Amino acid sequence: ISSHTPSVFSKAMDEGTAETVASFMRQNVLRTNTYSTFRSVEGAGKTGTAQFTADGSMKINAWFTGFAPYDD
């Protein structure tokens, strides 16, 4: 068995920007039906879609990304 000490490799964004994005994602959960999936914990998330062509026909890819708890 081995253990490792975590370290920060890099930061995707500064703390203020991360807080803004998290706030927008929290509001999205509160304003949509997504809220029902997060009743026991405060979560945040965002839906998305992407259209792409495969074999000459249009395909649609839908997804949801999120995190919980919101305040951690």
Side-chain angles (χ1 to χ4, degrees):
I1 297 176
S2 62
S3 63
H4 301 278
T5 303
S7 64
V8 175
F9 179 73
S10 67
K11 290 186 176 185
M13 63 188 81
D14 65 56
E15 189 173 328
T17 301
E19 289 173 0
T20 299
V21 171
S23 175
F24 290 156
M25 292 174 74
R26 176 66 181 153
Q27 291 304 311
N28 183 61
V29 166
L30 293 174
R31 288 192 294 250
T32 65
N33 290 334
T34 309
Y35 179 67
S36 64
T37 63
F38 283 111
R39 285 193 181 145
S40 63
V41 64
E42 289 188 357
K46 180 71 179 92
T47 59
T49 59
Q51 296 78 34
F52 62 96
T53 302
D55 301 329
S57 62
M58 181 65 74
K59 304 289 184 184
I60 297 177
N61 184 3
W63 48 268
F64 176 85
T65 188
F67 63 93
Y70 167 69
D71 60 357
D72 186 14

